[in-house]
Structures are given as C-alpha cells and as structure tokens.
Amino acid sequence: MRKKGLLLLAALLALCGCTAQSNIADVPRRTMLTVVLWDYDKTSYDWKLIRAFEDSHPDVQVEVVSYPDAYYDQKMQARLLSGRQTDVFLCRTMDSLYKLYEYGIAQPLDELLAQYGHDLRDSAELVQMQFDGHQYGIPYRRDRYVLLYNCELFDRAGIPYPKERLTWEQVHELAQQMQSSLSEGEYAMMSLPMDIQWLATGKNDGYDNAESMRQIIGWVQQMQQEQCMPQYSTCIAQDIQQQCFELGQYGMYIGGTWYLNYLMTDYRAGRFDFRWGVTEAPVWAEDQKSSETVIQTGMGICRSSQQQELAWEFIRFAAGAEGAKIMAAEQMMPAYLDSEVEEIYRNSFYGAYLDPMVYLDRETAVGAYQDTSREQEILCDAFRQSVTGQKDIDTALRNAQREIEALSS
C-alpha cells in the first residue's frame, strides 16, 4: 500500500514538472534592447519615451543602464570600450560622440538611414553628428539658453514681465530696478557657477578669441558690485544648482531649455508655488542677431550590437515625430519639430508666460562639429579667475589668449 502511494506521488510530481516546463516554454520571449543613458530616475521624458516604445513594440523589452549625469561620459565610454552589451547609447555632448567615433565604437548609421529612413533624414540638424562624411548620431534634443524669471518678484518691484528677448544691458537695468524692492538674501539675478554657460551665452565671438569674454565678465563683475547677484565664489562654495531658482529668492536666471522640464515636474509635485516666465536668452545691444549656442543631444548605435535594426527602430521612434510629441508634452525641446509638436509644447507650459520664439526660433544653424573643448577649458578658467577676483580681467584674458594660440603651434 505504501509502495503504491509513493508511485502515485511520483507520477503527480512528474506531471506537475512537465506541466510547469510546458508553461514556461509557452511564454514568448521578448527581445532585449540595451539602452545606456543618464539620470533615468530623475527625469520623466526618457522614462516615458521608453515605456511608449515598449507599448508599441510588445515583443521588445528595453534594459536601461543609467549613470549619474556628472560621470556619464566616462562611465558610458568605459562600458562601451569594455565590450559589455550595449545597443543604443545617448550622448550628452558632441565631444563624447566624436571620441566614440575615434575609438571605432560608434556604428556608422548611413545604411540604416538610407534603408529605413528617419523623420530627420533631410534635416540640417544631422550635420553636427557627421564625421568623415558619415552619420554617427541622430539628435533627439535641441536645447538652447533662455531667460527665466520669477513673476512674483517682478510684481513686487512693479516691473512688467519681459515678453521678448532682452539685451544684456536691459537685463542689467531690470536688475537694478528690482534689487531695491528685494529683501535680504534675495537677488535680482541668480548666479549659477557653471562657467561654460556664461561663456556660451555672453561671448560675442568664437572660442579662439579670449577678448570675446570681456563684456560678459565685466557684466558679471558689475552685477556683483551692485549686489544684484550673489558673489560667484560664494555660489561655488555653496554648490548652487539650477533648481535653487525654485527657492523663490531670485528674480531672474539664465539657464537651458532642459530646466523647463524640472520646473514643470517640481511645480506639479508642489515643491514650489510661484509663477514664472521664459524668454530667449539676452544678447548684446550691438549684435543684430544672436550668436547663441545650440546644444544637441544625440543617440547612436554601438558597433558591436547584435540588434542594430531594432536599435535603429528605437532611434526612429525616440528621435522622430512620435518621440518629439512625448518630449514636448514633458517640456523638453525635441530636435524634430512640426506644427503639432509646437502646439503640444506650448500647451504643456505650466508657467505664466512663454515667449513663442523660445521654441519657434531655429535660425541658428547647426554647423559641422569642431573640437573646441580645450579652448573652452582655457576660457572657462579665465572667466572664473576674473569674476572671483583671482586675477584682473586684462591679465586673465591675456594669459588665456596665449594658451589658445599655443594649441596650434
């Protein structure tokens, strides 16, 4: 009797085992696509792009590898150089994409572009990601610098809101008017200690000319002397970040269009409650046209990827019309833009005023890539030395020019 029971139990276990194995085999396997990016847990737009792609491709599972923004270029490049599985990578800067091209890690995209197409196929936006006559990246973001302002501090000072691009001289005048109505610890202008940002918005010539910084250095020095903005050295010591604007103690802030996503997200989460406006970044009065910097963020495919066609399908989606709609709804500036995307971007704005030219003005051409990283480092050092008082402006600019000229000797 005991033997018969054991035989029955064994039969049941075998049946369960076979059934379990049969059920596992019946589950369709999803194709894995590995995407490397940064700050996935801090931003909403990349998460929504990936979820939307998975929804439209139910047989695909996207594996996200995310690194912190501050170390992204080094971590991403190290991963790709090590040969670890990577299909799609995002590039924060053109310098990092160019390095991947030099290392032979980035896959040329010409054949995929010709065979499968892309919404940006004939766009001038592609030019900056072409090296040696081949396409190595596709832009999915096209950022620029803007002037953000706190409407409540403008109201307190009785100053009308800026509705269009101002000159640096006009911003200085507004700051002087506003500062007298502010309390201790409040400033008309926020000073973000990011040297390249001041350089990109305030220079009036190329990166090979140190004199191009004289005006913006003088402007910052004067604003500090008049106490219309905090001391740059203090902001460095306090590690002031862009989201400090949400503290409500700054009247204006010059930042990137990417910050509008943070403002929208934090406002909806109840982290601050004042109204804000946005116009184009200031220019110098003598400039007939802005010499502003266009900041592209691109996507590329790893040469060792075994899923290159699927990787291209992801890039077509994320950097094309469908992805642009998702980006615009999250207050991110996509590289692809049409009337529908414009409307979504405009209607998704949570602030009090958005200058239409912030998203409509695309006259600034995106030129071919030029490696000016070393020149930028030299100019940033000279800027910081000047505005923190380490060196007088003449000495800092003279030394910077010598270093720049020595690069080509």
Side-chain angles (χ1 to χ4, degrees):
M1 185 73 176
R2 185 166 178 262
K3 183 177 180 181
K4 188 181 292 185
L6 290 172
L7 289 172
L8 179 60
L9 178 60
L12 287 171
L13 288 172
L15 180 61
C16 291
C18 290
T19 303
Q21 290 175 4
S22 176
N23 287 342
I24 291 172
D26 290 342
V27 175
R29 292 186 177 182
R30 300 171 71 189
T31 303
M32 187 73 72
L33 185 74
T34 303
V35 178
V36 180
L37 44 70
W38 68 91
D39 285 355
Y40 190 62
D41 58 336
K42 294 181 180 179
T43 59
S44 59
Y45 48 92
D46 283 335
W47 185 88
K48 292 194 175 183
L49 276 178
I50 289 172
R51 294 288 79 79
F53 179 78
E54 288 184 325
D55 288 345
S56 62
H57 297 74
D59 57 335
V60 178
Q61 179 178 347
V62 177
E63 178 190 27
V64 175
V65 178
S66 178
Y67 297 115
D69 172 69
Y71 311 106
Y72 178 71
D73 288 351
Q74 303 95 309
K75 295 282 189 180
M76 179 265 288
Q77 290 171 17
R79 178 186 176 88
L80 270 60
L81 284 168
S82 71
R84 296 175 66 187
Q85 173 60 33
T86 303
D87 298 304
V88 177
F89 57 86
L90 272 61
C91 281
R92 289 175 64 255
T93 65
M94 293 306 97
D95 292 337
S96 65
L97 180 60
Y98 187 74
K99 285 182 181 178
L100 296 179
Y101 150 72
E102 287 188 313
Y103 294 150
I105 297 174
Q107 172 68 23
L109 306 177
D110 307 82
E111 291 185 10
L112 292 166
L113 184 60
Q115 183 175 355
Y116 299 106
H118 194 282
D119 291 329
L120 288 170
R121 179 172 179 170
D122 299 318
S123 171
E125 300 293 326
L126 298 181
V127 172
Q128 198 171 63
M129 299 186 186
Q130 295 171 356
F131 313 128
D132 196 25
H134 295 285
Q135 193 76 43
Y136 284 91
I138 303 293
Y140 89 114
R141 282 173 45 184
R142 189 190 199 273
D143 288 296
R144 58 188 303 210
Y145 290 107
V146 291
L147 175 70
L148 301 105
Y149 55 88
N150 182 330
C151 294
E152 294 186 9
L153 295 190
F154 269 78
D155 289 342
R156 191 196 303 174
I159 301 173
Y161 305 150
K163 295 298 180 81
E164 59 187 8
R165 189 197 293 275
L166 302 174
T167 64
W168 286 101
E169 293 85 352
Q170 288 172 323
V171 173
H172 179 219
E173 291 174 5
L174 285 180
Q176 289 176 313
Q177 296 175 39
M178 179 181 294
Q179 193 62 46
S180 62
S181 67
L182 301 182
S183 304
E184 183 178 353
E186 294 180 331
Y187 295 92
M189 175 63 70
M190 175 173 150
S191 181
L192 183 70
M194 187 176 291
D195 311 324
I196 188 60
Q197 192 159 299
W198 290 103
L199 178 60
T201 55
K203 67 179 176 60
N204 55 20
D205 199 356
Y207 288 111
D208 60 345
N209 181 9
E211 276 294 319
S212 67
M213 296 195 304
R214 183 176 291 276
Q215 280 183 290
I216 189 60
I217 290 173
W219 189 91
V220 171
Q221 288 176 333
Q222 187 171 3
M223 289 280 285
Q224 290 182 148
Q225 291 168 2
E226 297 170 349
Q227 298 184 344
C228 291
M229 64 189 294
Q231 295 296 311
Y232 204 80
S233 56
T234 302
C235 295
I236 294 171
Q238 294 177 346
D239 192 25
I240 296 296
Q241 302 291 324
Q242 60 183 359
Q243 284 173 283
C244 290
F245 178 70
E246 297 167 27
L247 296 173
Q249 63 191 49
Y250 302 104
M252 294 174 282
Y253 163 55
I254 297 169
T257 46
W258 57 83
Y259 182 51
L260 299 185
N261 169 262
Y262 285 91
L263 279 175
M264 179 190 76
T265 302
D266 290 347
Y267 183 80
R268 290 191 301 194
R271 297 188 181 100
F272 73 98
D273 60 3
F274 64 80
R275 296 170 299 117
W276 73 94
V278 187
T279 67
E280 294 181 281
V283 292
W284 295 108
E286 64 270 20
D287 288 350
Q288 295 299 313
K289 188 176 180 181
S290 171
S291 57
E292 67 179 327
T293 302
V294 174
I295 308 161
Q296 286 189 330
T297 303
M299 296 182 173
I301 297 176
C302 186
R303 190 184 287 270
S304 63
S305 170
Q306 301 299 308
Q307 305 283 351
Q308 292 195 6
E309 291 188 356
L310 180 58
W312 180 255
E313 179 63 22
F314 177 83
I315 291 176
R316 283 184 62 196
F317 177 89
E322 292 305 311
K325 295 174 189 175
I326 296 170
M327 296 284 284
E330 294 301 301
Q331 280 292 277
M332 290 299 294
M333 192 75 72
Y336 176 86
L337 189 69
D338 60 21
S339 58
E340 184 177 2
V341 175
E342 290 172 6
E343 183 178 5
I344 293 172
Y345 188 86
R346 180 173 61 252
N347 293 338
S348 300
F349 184 66
Y350 269 71
Y353 178 75
L354 174 63
D355 179 358
M357 295 306 291
V358 165
Y359 56 90
L360 292 178
D361 183 2
R362 296 210 166 193
E363 291 185 11
T364 302
V366 179
Y369 170 78
Q370 290 183 314
D371 184 3
T372 59
S373 56
R374 189 68 190 99
E375 288 87 346
Q376 290 181 33
E377 289 177 12
I378 293 170
L379 294 182
C380 284
D381 285 345
F383 174 86
R384 179 166 292 206
Q385 291 167 0
S386 298
V387 299
T388 57
Q390 298 175 52
K391 291 183 181 177
D392 65 86
I393 186 170
D394 292 326
T395 301
L397 295 183
R398 184 169 57 252
N399 292 347
Q401 191 61 42
R402 284 179 187 153
E403 291 185 59
I404 290 172
E405 291 172 358
L407 295 176
S408 57
S409 61

